Amino acid sequence: MTSVSPSPPASRSGSMCSDFSSSLQTEKLAHIMGLNSDDEVLGRITKQLGRSRKIACLTGAGISCNAGIPDFRSSDGLYNLVKKDSSQYWSIKSGREMFDISLFRDDFKISIFAKFMERLYSNVQLAKPTKTHKFIAHLKDRNKLLRCYTQNIDGLEENIGLVMSNRKLPLSSFSSHWRNLDVVQLHGDLNSLSCTKCFQTFSWNRYWSRCLRRGELPLCPHCEALINQRMNEGKRTLGSNVGVLRPNIVLYGENHPSCEMITQGLNLDIIKGNPDLLIIMGTSLKVDGVKQLVKKLSKRIHDRGGLIILVNKTPIGDSSWHGIIDYQIHSDCDNWVTFLESEIPDFFKTQDQINKLRQLKREASDLRRMMKAQKDSISTPPTTPLRTALHSDNDVLNVKITSLNKIKRKILSPENSSEEDEEENTNMKKRAKIRSTFDDKTSLIDPADQMN
Ligand SMILES: [Zn+2]
């Protein structure tokens, strides 16, 4: 449960962050084994995360495993599942073959692919977002999420209100549309079907689910309608084929239909997004396109003095990641989020809670100013003593401050004792001191005293 000390960073230009964060960058990928509160380096990384302003995320199958969705490469992952399922009929070298575009040349492979995808889709419908998905949604709530790039096709992020890239963006005012996206699905979306010919996309329905479960890919209604129209118009239909519907995911060997959009958007994020942290979660980074994405983001973030961290149970090959990823935290992603919650509780306050606290602070500050103004006004004793009236005003102010403090205590949960609490305690002491001075001064002008 110890971490490897980070190697000093290579000299990097254009650092915009503090020396504190720069000193955490490493020349060689450093490993943090487990989640230990006493681990000094882990503690510094956690604090750095808490201070980050714009965070880019990259996620893989590891973040959905706790939702019951299998990953691809592990022993009980998708590749092995599909291999096991089809082995009684036919031998395939690896499960990956079933996710390669060449499968469409073989009816038997199509049948296995269709059945398998329907089963996966049904599983996803029952799955609930994990703690890590909620952490990403929280980053958005705090306005700290630049973008989440995901290799996952399950779309669980949509269940917690994140905006997905499953629709084509208009080319006009691209950047404003891109900015509204939270999650970019690098490998497509299992929750829709697309035509192999016209590329129209459709939502699943019960009829199509049954087709896939039987091992058949349904005919595309859009292509069918076009051909019917041509026939009705007396035009030739020779050579006009009807496409079939398949899950709208990207297979090996085929181009992503939104490749151009993703490249354009990534460049925007790199140039204008000002990311200062990249968190890679639940992936071993085996796919070439994803490796390139990490390298591009890493360069920009390192130049700005930020960090690249990977949270994953499985180790990745170190040598190719030196100077690109600073740390691998060897942990389950949900456990890591739980660790963060205990280490930096303030980070997990909602934006609404933070806004309310700010409002209360402003009101308390206004009240303090009013009290100070009243105190100053009685520094010079008035010709007619007004002790009763002054005490009455003072009491109103004190009641207001007490009620503000009560509201504040409700917002701050007991375990979240924080800098805000400490500051409030100091302020309360100051107010008590002001009140005591106030009382001393008013007692100086007590009519009874004057009579004596
Ligand atoms: Zn079609």
Side-chain angles (χ1 to χ4, degrees):
M1 291 294 185
T2 54
S3 65
V4 176
S5 299
S7 314
S11 57
R12 287 179 175 124
S13 59
S15 171
M16 292 173 69
C17 297
S18 65
D19 289 336
F20 173 79
S21 62
S22 296
S23 67
L24 273 174
Q25 290 181 356
T26 65
E27 272 186 348
K28 285 189 171 180
L29 173 62
H31 294 272
I32 292 174
M33 311 306 290
L35 303 168
N36 183 353
S37 302
D38 299 328
D39 187 321
E40 191 209 330
V41 178
L42 181 59
R44 291 175 66 197
I45 296 168
T46 304
K47 279 185 184 155
Q48 173 61 21
L49 185 152
R51 291 175 188 175
S52 296
R53 292 183 175 178
K54 275 293 168 203
I55 300 174
C57 296
L58 169 65
T59 59
I63 76 158
S64 291
C65 284
N66 291 342
I69 299 169
D71 65 4
F72 284 82
R73 291 178 176 79
S74 63
S75 55
D76 50 358
L78 283 175
Y79 289 162
N80 279 336
L81 271 177
V82 77
K83 194 175 170 183
K84 207 168 114 191
D85 272 16
S86 52
S87 60
Q88 53 181 309
Y89 309 108
W90 183 60
S91 113
I92 54 172
K93 286 179 207 145
S94 86
R96 183 177 154 154
E97 276 182 54
M98 296 313 303
F99 298 91
D100 192 285
I101 187 68
S102 62
L103 76 88
F104 285 105
R105 294 190 210 126
D106 184 319
D107 285 344
F108 184 73
K109 278 188 185 177
I110 291 175
S111 152
I112 300 224
F113 173 76
K115 284 181 191 169
F116 192 77
M117 281 293 135
E118 194 281 329
R119 213 169 87 192
L120 187 59
Y121 170 74
S122 302
N123 277 349
V124 166
Q125 299 318 296
L126 301 171
K128 297 272 187 295
T130 64
K131 199 157 196 169
T132 307
H133 291 105
K134 289 173 189 167
F135 170 67
I136 297 164
H138 178 71
L139 293 180
K140 182 195 174 179
D141 176 65
R142 291 290 309 273
N143 199 26
K144 285 176 182 281
L145 179 69
L146 171 63
R147 211 77 54 209
C148 174
Y149 293 87
T150 186
Q151 300 173 81
N152 296 345
I153 55 174
D154 53 50
L156 287 182
E157 298 88 348
E158 196 164 22
N159 298 358
I160 40 175
L162 292 173
V163 180
M164 315 292 286
S165 64
N166 47 16
R167 279 183 303 251
K168 262 200 164 170
L169 299 184
L171 287 175
S172 61
S173 60
F174 174 85
S175 58
S176 61
H177 283 97
W178 179 262
R179 270 200 297 274
N180 290 332
L181 286 183
D182 300 317
V183 180
V184 179
Q185 292 167 291
L186 299 171
H187 296 161
D189 179 24
L190 178 64
N191 296 296
S192 60
L193 299 167
S194 64
C195 173
T196 52
K197 186 171 183 338
C198 70
F199 305 109
Q200 285 269 330
T201 56
F202 303 87
S203 298
W204 287 69
N205 61 34
R206 269 193 234 170
Y207 171 72
W208 288 339
S209 286
R210 280 199 294 271
C211 275
L212 272 97
R213 207 176 305 147
R214 288 195 302 268
E216 298 160 14
L217 295 178
L219 295 174
C220 167
H222 185 252
C223 288
E224 281 187 313
L226 279 180
I227 288 185
N228 286 339
Q229 192 185 342
R230 288 185 71 82
M231 282 170 68
N232 292 340
E233 289 168 356
K235 292 180 181 168
R236 287 192 318 151
T237 56
L238 200 65
S240 307
N241 300 323
V242 175
V244 289
L245 301 184
R246 47 164 276 200
N248 188 23
I249 61 170
V250 183
L251 298 169
Y252 288 104
E254 76 175 334
N255 289 328
H256 194 304
S258 308
C259 179
E260 216 171 292
M261 176 190 95
I262 293 174
T263 308
Q264 200 178 338
L266 174 65
N267 287 337
L268 261 181
D269 283 351
I270 289 171
I271 296 164
K272 294 191 174 171
N274 297 327
D276 52 8
L277 179 69
L278 171 63
I279 311 175
I280 306 164
M281 294 176 279
T283 170
S284 306
L285 298 169
K286 299 283 186 203
V287 180
D288 284 341
V290 176
K291 286 181 187 173
Q292 293 307 316
L293 181 145
V294 173
K295 285 176 187 171
K296 282 184 176 180
L297 278 168
S298 167
K299 184 168 184 329
R300 175 66 170 155
I301 292 170
H302 276 152
D303 283 350
R304 301 190 74 245
L307 281 183
I308 318 297
I309 58 174
L310 164 69
V311 185
N312 198 42
K313 285 195 283 191
T314 318
I316 55 167
D318 284 11
S319 56
S320 55
W321 294 110
H322 290 327
I324 298 165
I325 298 174
D326 297 297
Y327 299 92
Q328 177 174 1
I329 299 168
H330 293 249
S331 164
D332 171 85
C333 295
D334 287 354
N335 292 345
W336 176 67
V337 174
T338 305
F339 175 79
L340 291 182
E341 283 174 338
S342 67
E343 295 295 306
I344 44 170
D346 276 358
F347 187 81
F348 287 86
K349 288 195 176 86
T350 64
Q351 193 57 47
D352 193 37
Q353 285 175 318
I354 286 167
N355 291 343
K356 279 181 185 163
L357 280 171
R358 281 182 187 152
Q359 173 69 18
L360 288 172
K361 269 187 167 182
R362 274 196 296 273
E363 287 177 16
S365 162
D366 290 346
L367 285 171
R368 276 197 298 276
R369 265 201 300 278
M370 284 168 69
M371 286 181 75
K372 187 172 182 305
Q374 283 207 346
K375 189 189 80 173
D376 291 345
S377 73
I378 57 165
S379 298
T380 313
T383 48
T384 311
L386 295 168
R387 177 180 176 152
T388 314
L390 286 170
H391 265 277
S392 147
D393 285 352
N394 198 27
D395 286 346
V396 171
L397 292 176
N398 285 337
V399 167
K400 280 188 179 173
I401 288 175
T402 311
S403 66
L404 281 172
N405 284 336
K406 275 185 190 167
I407 298 167
K408 189 174 178 179
R409 273 195 293 276
K410 276 184 192 170
I411 292 170
L412 291 166
S413 57
E415 67 272 18
N416 290 356
S417 171
S418 62
E419 290 167 15
E420 308 254 13
D421 291 331
E422 283 170 27
E423 190 182 330
E424 180 54 26
N425 286 338
T426 316
N427 289 339
M428 280 173 75
K429 282 176 193 163
K430 279 184 190 165
R431 282 199 296 275
K433 199 174 172 187
I434 290 169
R435 280 199 296 275
S436 121
T437 316
F438 184 88
D439 287 342
D440 289 343
K441 295 217 185 232
T442 50
S443 69
L444 286 174
I445 54 169
D446 190 301
D449 290 344
Q450 286 192 339
M451 283 171 78
N452 292 335

